[in-house]
Amino acid sequence: MQRPLLLLLLLLLGAVAGRDLPGAAQRLAPRANPKAAAAAPAVAQRGGGGAVAVSDGKSSVPVATFNLMNNVAGAGLLTLSAAMAMGVGTYPALILCVGLGIVAGHTFSLCNRACAATGETSFMGLCTRLLGPFAALTSTVALAALCFAVCIVYAGFIGDVATSLLAEPIGLSPALNSRASNILVTTGGVLLPLCLLRSLDQLGFTSLLGLVSVVYSVAFIILRSLDGTYAPGGEFFEDLVKLGDGAAPAFDDVGPWAFDSRALVLISNLGVSFMAHYNAPKYYDELRDNTVERCNMVSWPSYIGLSVLYAATMIAGYRTFGTSCKSMLLTNYSSKDRLGCIAQFATGFSILFGYPLAFCGFRQGVVETADAILGFRDGAGGALDGALKALRDAPSTEGGWRALTVALLALSTALAVAVEDMGIVVGIAGAVVGSYFIYMLPALLYTTVEERAGRLTPAKKANLALVPMGVAMAAMGTFMSVKSARNAYAYGYVTVAAAAA
């Protein structure tokens, strides 16, 4: 029954991917802090300094749709199969993926409606105007936390991919090839110099590179799920059996309709995968002839297309490896699979040069959070104010810029080394930050606009149900992600102890 579903998803994916849309696109990032603008004039973005647009600086509906899909789709989709493998059946997983994609599209539309009513072109401006400065501060902290989580995940993925590629294809000795050492060497030799750059314009090529790596990886994952090379008797099956440690595909007795609390991990991972709502004001502002109706012509096709893309990848990965799926799906494949090695290299290379863009958002968020807290304290003075001012003003001097960059990079790298399962980070970030940006905040912004205009009908007020839903999903998703992490580490400890005995 899974094969017809997968073929249908593949056909739909081909229809989405086959659209004749021009150029590469921008991955927008947090707005720059005015106090740090002179020191860090470039914002973290993909696309060489601008989204695909025409000479008037505005985007058409097809181009904006392409930009939004490219903004959202990323390495997060490679974690979905592992989240499904925790015990979610095929049909509930598909329903969750498509259903949450539709909800995310709806709440993105709510943000557009709030922009149309207020004329705001920045997310923080929208929050400040409608919900007050504390909501803007909360959003700044949440966005910084999201970028921090992305940095941890990216560094972890780099370590996983590097370890896999250096093992078999290159044959590097295990004594010289560990995940931790690869992360540390890459951070010191590549990421630190890139993160110290004042301008990220030179990394504009990563938009197209990221798009190519995602398309190739998805096509490869679907191909391997259909060609039988990882099934018993297949070309690569025995290679994984010899590796042991749960590397070979395994399919426990999980029914097609299996659904319990473990599905919360998948819901949390989808929260990260569908999140781009903090960029909604930018898309609204940059769309030519921007109306709510035209914005909906962008958001709905984008999120429907993303739902199909995620569902195809998730089901294909699970169909290939079952409960053996790893958080970084590409590391499941045999090192003798040349197409798989290409997918790992392309993804790793894209993540390597995409890391500074996420780090820029993290660094900006930290500086802006310090500035916002100072505003709330209103000159209270003391050691805390001194520390906050030093943090806020750090980018204004070369020494401060370097010290702040090294400190934040060291923090994210240390956590990437310590946390081996990147699905845990994705799950917690999706549960907390994803629920905040996708469900809670858009509902509050939209209903506030409608209430002030005297148009808050019962049907519109029903959107507020997304707020308690988001709170519940954040709490339960975080609990299940932490619980799964504890179980995974406990299992690893027992396995190592048994092997030693």
Side-chain angles (χ1 to χ4, degrees):
M1 188 65 182
Q2 288 182 343
R3 183 177 289 269
L5 284 171
L6 191 59
L7 290 173
L8 176 60
L9 288 170
L10 182 58
L11 288 173
L12 291 171
L13 177 61
V16 173
R19 297 181 62 182
D20 185 20
L21 299 178
Q26 177 183 27
R27 289 180 187 263
L28 300 171
R31 73 274 175 264
N33 186 308
K35 294 183 180 294
V43 296
Q45 61 186 12
R46 290 182 182 263
V52 176
V54 293
S55 57
D56 62 356
K58 299 293 183 179
S59 301
S60 64
V61 168
V63 169
T65 302
F66 178 86
N67 287 344
L68 179 56
M69 291 187 67
N70 192 36
N71 182 190
V72 180
L77 65 86
L78 298 174
T79 69
L80 299 180
S81 296
M84 176 183 173
M86 294 190 66
V88 184
T90 300
Y91 298 114
L94 284 173
I95 292 171
L96 284 174
C97 189
V98 175
L100 291 179
I102 292 173
V103 173
H106 170 67
T107 55
F108 196 92
S109 176
L110 295 183
C111 293
N112 288 332
R113 293 174 185 273
C115 292
T118 61
E120 291 288 344
T121 58
S122 73
F123 197 81
M124 297 310 149
L126 199 61
C127 290
T128 302
R129 180 166 178 173
L130 294 177
L131 303 177
F134 182 75
L137 171 61
T138 306
S139 299
T140 300
V141 173
L143 200 50
L146 172 63
C147 293
F148 181 41
V150 170
C151 289
I152 297 172
V153 171
Y154 275 14
F157 279 178
I158 290 170
D160 292 336
V161 169
T163 304
S164 177
L165 290 176
L166 292 173
E168 182 76 21
I170 297 179
L172 189 65
S173 168
L176 302 174
N177 182 29
S178 69
R179 179 179 181 275
S181 63
N182 288 332
I183 292 175
L184 293 174
V185 170
T186 305
T187 299
V190 181
L191 296 181
L192 177 58
L194 290 175
C195 291
L196 285 171
L197 292 174
R198 290 285 188 172
S199 172
L200 299 179
D201 288 346
Q202 299 173 10
L203 301 182
F205 69 94
T206 59
S207 176
L208 180 59
L209 179 61
L211 174 64
V212 170
S213 68
V214 167
V215 171
Y216 176 83
S217 297
V218 170
F220 164 75
I221 291 167
I222 293 175
L223 172 66
R224 287 296 185 243
S225 74
L226 297 173
D227 65 9
T229 51
Y230 285 87
E235 181 180 356
F236 303 113
F237 182 79
E238 289 301 324
D239 293 334
L240 298 184
V241 172
K242 293 176 182 177
L243 290 176
D245 196 26
F251 296 88
D252 295 344
D253 187 19
V254 178
W257 287 101
F259 184 81
D260 56 27
S261 60
R262 291 172 292 182
L264 288 166
V265 177
L266 176 58
I267 292 172
S268 297
N269 285 28
L270 286 168
V272 169
S273 301
F274 282 124
M275 185 163 38
H277 295 58
Y278 45 83
N279 281 330
K282 289 286 292 182
Y283 283 105
Y284 178 82
D285 182 53
E286 293 176 358
L287 181 66
R288 191 186 308 117
D289 300 327
N290 52 354
T291 62
V292 171
E293 291 72 20
R294 283 177 60 79
C295 286
N296 287 339
M297 293 170 63
V298 172
S299 58
W300 282 113
S302 296
Y303 275 96
I304 291 173
L306 288 165
S307 298
V308 173
L309 177 73
Y310 293 166
T313 307
M314 175 180 66
I315 297 298
Y318 180 78
R319 187 178 183 276
T320 305
F321 297 105
T323 53
S324 297
C325 288
K326 299 178 182 178
S327 294
M328 174 55 165
L329 181 61
L330 292 178
T331 59
N332 273 101
Y333 294 91
S334 170
S335 57
K336 295 181 180 179
D337 187 344
R338 299 307 178 194
L339 295 181
C341 290
I342 294 173
Q344 289 188 44
F345 180 80
T347 301
F349 195 73
S350 172
I351 288 175
L352 183 66
F353 289 99
Y355 183 101
L357 307 176
F359 184 83
C360 179
F362 173 39
R363 183 172 50 206
Q364 284 181 220
V366 170
V367 171
E368 291 171 4
T369 298
D371 186 43
I373 294 175
L374 280 170
F376 274 103
R377 289 177 59 80
D378 195 24
L384 179 58
D385 272 17
L388 290 171
K389 288 178 181 178
L391 187 58
R392 180 197 65 188
D393 299 334
S396 63
T397 65
E398 190 62 29
W401 173 266
R402 289 179 176 273
L404 179 61
T405 298
V406 170
L408 296 180
L409 189 60
L411 177 61
S412 60
T413 301
L415 288 175
V417 170
V419 181
E420 295 190 4
D421 186 356
M422 290 298 103
I424 298 168
V425 181
V426 174
I428 295 175
V432 179
V433 184
S435 296
Y436 178 75
F437 277 119
I438 296 179
Y439 309 119
M440 293 184 274
L441 206 54
L444 291 172
L445 292 171
Y446 173 68
T447 53
T448 300
V449 164
E450 294 301 302
E451 183 178 31
R452 290 182 180 180
R455 301 190 301 259
L456 189 59
T457 63
K460 294 177 179 178
K461 195 173 183 178
N463 284 290
L464 287 174
L466 291 168
V467 177
M469 184 186 89
V471 172
M473 289 173 63
M476 293 187 295
T478 300
F479 172 78
M480 285 305 301
S481 295
V482 173
K483 181 180 178 181
S484 67
R486 293 179 62 185
N487 291 341
Y489 281 113
Y491 173 79
Y493 174 79
V494 172
T495 302
V496 172

